[in-house]
C-alpha cells in the first residue's frame, strides 16, 4: 500500500484510554462514548473540520460513528461527506469500526420517500445510504422511529432482510416506547435476528426512558445508546449567561430558545456548580451520569470541534457518583420539555 505524506495513520495507542462496554447480551462491545454525525457533518461545515474531528475521535478509541439517511444539511450530506473521508482515511480500518445508519423520517420525493416503516422505504433507504457512504454494509441498521401506520412485523421484517442480505450485521430501533420495544424484540427473535440495541433520547432533562424502557432493555438483553445526552447542548456551560452567536440555539438547530426557560436555566446552573465540585465540566458530569446505569452501553455525543470532542471524552475520567451526589442531582435533573421525539415513543 502506497502512503502519501498527508495520509492518515491512526495513533498506535488508540485503544489505551477508552472504556468499552458490552451491548446487552450480545457479543459486541461499543465505546462508552460514541460519535454522532447528526449535526456538524453536513455541507454547512468545512470538510477539513469534519475530518479533524473524525481522526481525533478514532485516535482516542472512539470506534463507533453513528449516522442516518437524513443527517445534513442537506439530507444525505452527512453520509456523503463521511463517505469521502472514510475512503481516504478509514477504509483500511473498516474492521476496527462500528458504522450505523437509520431510516424513518422523510428523505426523498413521492410516496415511498416520506419516511415511516414500510419495507419499500426502509430497504431502499439502506441501499442509498450504503452508496453515499461507500461501504458494502453497516454494522447496525436502525428503524429510526415507530410508524403507527405500518405493521410492526413489516418494519422488523425489513431489518431482518437487511441482516440476511449482508447489508447490516445487526438490527436496532430508535425512539420506540417500552411496550413497542418488547414487541419488536419478540418479532425479531422469532425471525432469528435478535434486536441488538435501542437508541433513545436520554439526558438529565429528558428522563422518559426511566419509566419502563430501561427495564425492558435490561430484561430482554438489548443494549442502549443514548442520543442527545447533553439535551441539545443545554447541559453545557454554553447557555448559562445567554445565547452565544453561532450556537445551536442561535441557529434554531433542534434547540429552540423557548426551551431556555428560567426554570431550566436555574436547574442547569445548579448542576453546573455540582460539576465544578466534582472537578468536571457540566457536559462531562452529564455524560458520566447517564453511564452510571450499566444498562446503558454508550452515550452518543456530537462535536463541532476537536476541543469539544476531547472535553466530552474527559467524562470517562470520573464515572463514580456517591448516593448523596445522585440525590442532589435528582433535585435538578427534572423534565425540561425537550423531548422532540416523544411522538414516536407515545405509541
Amino acid at each position: 500500500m502506497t502512503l502519501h505524506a498527508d495520509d492518515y495513520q491512526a495513533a498506535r495507542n488508540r485503544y489505551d484510554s477508552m472504556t468499552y462496554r458490552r451491548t446487552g447480551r450480545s457479543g459486541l462491545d461499543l465505546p462508552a462514548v460514541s460519535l454522532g454525525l447528526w449535526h456538524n457533518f453536513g455541507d454547512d461545515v468545512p470538510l477539513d473540520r469534519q475530518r479533524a474531528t473524525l481522526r481525533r475521535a478514532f485516535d482516542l478509541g472512539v470506534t463507533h460513528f453513528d449516522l442516518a439517511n437524513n443527517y445534513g444539511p442537506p439530507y444525505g450530506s452527512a453520509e456523503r461527506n463521511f463517505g469521502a473521508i472514510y475512503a481516504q482515511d478509514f477504509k483500511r480500518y473498516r474492521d476496527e469500526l462500528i458504522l450505523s445508519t437509520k431510516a424513518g423520517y422523510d428523505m426523498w420525493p413521492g410516496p415511498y420517500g416520506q419516511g415511516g416503516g414500510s419495507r419499500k422505504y426502509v430497504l431502499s433507504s439502506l441501499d442509498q445510504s450504503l452508496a453515499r457512504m461507500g461501504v458494502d454494509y453497516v454494522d447496525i441498521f436502525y428503524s429510526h422511529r415507530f410508524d403507527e401506520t405500518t405493521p410492526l412485523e413489516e418494519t422488523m421484517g425489513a431489518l431482518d432482510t437487511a441482516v440476511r442480505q449482508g447489508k447490516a450485521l445487526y438490527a436496532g430501533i430508535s425512539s420506540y416506547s417500552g411496550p413497542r420495544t418488547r414487541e419488536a424484540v419478540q418479532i425479531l427473535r422469532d425471525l432469528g435476528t435478535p434486536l441488538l440495541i435501542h437508541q433513545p433520547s436520554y439526558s438529565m432533562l429528558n428522563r422518559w426512558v426511566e419509566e419502563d424502557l430501561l427495564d425492558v432493555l435490561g430484561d430482554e438483553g438489548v443494549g442502549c445508546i443514548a442520543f442527545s445526552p447533553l439535551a441539545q447542548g443545554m447541559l453545557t456551560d454554553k447557555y448559562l449567561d445567554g445565547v452565544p452567536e453561532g450556537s445551536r440555539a442561535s441557529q434554531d438547530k433542534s434547540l429552540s430558545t423557548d426551551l431556555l426557560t428560567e426554570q431550566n436555566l436555574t436547574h442547569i446552573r445548579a448542576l453546573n456548580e455540582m460539576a465544578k465540585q466534582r472537578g468536571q465540566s457540566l457536559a462531562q458530569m452529564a455524560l458520566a451520569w447517564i453511564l452510571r446505569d450499566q444498562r446503558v452501553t454508550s452515550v452518543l455525543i456530537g462535536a463541532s470541534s476537536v476541543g469539544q470532542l476531547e472535553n466530552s471524552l474527559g467524562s470517562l475520567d470520573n464515572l463514580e457518583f456517591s448516593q448523596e451526589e445522585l440525590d442532589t442531582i435528582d433535585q435538578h435533573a427534572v423534565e425540561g420539555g425537550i423531548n422532540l421525539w416523544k411522538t414516536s415513543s407515545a405509541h
Side-chain angles (χ1 to χ4, degrees), residues 87-346:
Q88 292 182 328
D89 291 355
F90 294 106
K91 192 169 186 177
R92 70 182 74 113
Y93 301 109
R94 179 64 183 94
D95 293 339
E96 297 182 46
L97 293 172
I98 300 296
L99 305 180
S100 63
T101 195
K102 314 177 196 75
Y105 292 97
D106 67 295
M107 185 60 197
W108 64 88
Y112 313 119
Q114 296 309 300
S118 75
R119 185 177 183 84
K120 169 69 173 176
Y121 165 76
V122 170
L123 293 176
S124 296
S125 178
L126 176 57
D127 285 341
Q128 293 176 21
S129 290
L130 295 177
R132 282 189 293 267
M133 295 167 70
V135 296
D136 297 325
Y137 70 96
V138 289
D139 297 275
I140 306 169
F141 182 46
Y142 287 92
S143 167
H144 206 167
R145 67 176 178 93
F146 176 73
D147 176 15
E148 74 278 10
T149 70
T150 300
L152 192 54
E153 291 81 1
E154 180 173 345
T155 306
M156 295 304 103
L159 296 183
D160 173 67
T161 295
V163 171
R164 293 184 183 280
Q165 288 178 339
K167 296 176 181 179
L169 300 186
Y170 298 97
I173 59 176
S174 179
S175 299
Y176 279 52
S177 68
R180 293 301 188 183
T181 296
R182 205 180 288 277
E183 288 181 45
V185 167
Q186 190 57 54
I187 293 168
L188 284 169
R189 187 174 288 152
D190 291 345
L191 290 170
T193 298
L195 179 65
L196 173 78
I197 196 166
H198 189 300
Q199 187 177 134
S201 60
Y202 184 26
S203 72
M204 286 176 162
L205 301 180
N206 176 21
R207 300 177 65 170
W208 73 276
V209 301
E210 296 174 9
E211 295 172 12
D212 62 355
L213 180 59
L214 285 175
D215 289 336
V216 171
L217 300 181
D219 291 345
E220 301 290 353
V222 175
C224 176
I225 180 168
F227 79 86
S228 200
L230 301 180
Q232 291 95 270
M234 289 174 65
L235 290 169
T236 68
D237 58 9
K238 188 178 296 182
Y239 301 108
L240 296 177
D241 301 307
V243 180
E245 186 65 31
S247 65
R248 195 181 295 189
S250 72
Q251 301 175 58
D252 199 25
K253 285 186 174 182
S254 80
L255 177 58
S256 167
T257 52
D258 294 340
L259 298 175
L260 296 169
T261 64
E262 193 54 41
Q263 180 179 356
N264 278 345
L265 289 173
T266 296
H267 289 304
I268 292 168
R269 290 178 184 124
L271 291 168
N272 187 56
E273 289 305 311
M274 274 202 68
K276 288 180 181 178
Q277 294 171 18
R278 286 172 51 85
Q280 292 181 305
S281 68
L282 175 54
Q284 289 170 343
M285 185 180 77
L287 296 173
W289 179 82
I290 293 179
L291 291 168
R292 80 199 185 286
D293 193 317
Q294 290 304 306
R295 294 170 296 187
V296 175
T297 311
S298 182
V299 289
L300 195 56
I301 63 165
S304 60
S305 66
V306 168
Q308 198 176 79
L309 169 76
E310 292 174 342
N311 180 271
S312 292
L313 291 174
S315 62
L316 300 177
D317 293 338
N318 184 8
L319 295 176
E320 301 301 320
F321 290 88
S322 68
Q323 189 57 51
E324 182 181 359
E325 285 178 316
L326 291 174
D327 291 343
T328 303
I329 287 172
D330 278 341
Q331 297 174 26
H332 299 286
V334 297
E335 176 58 44
I338 63 167
N339 186 1
L340 308 180
W341 308 270
K342 61 185 177 182
T343 301
S344 176
S345 57

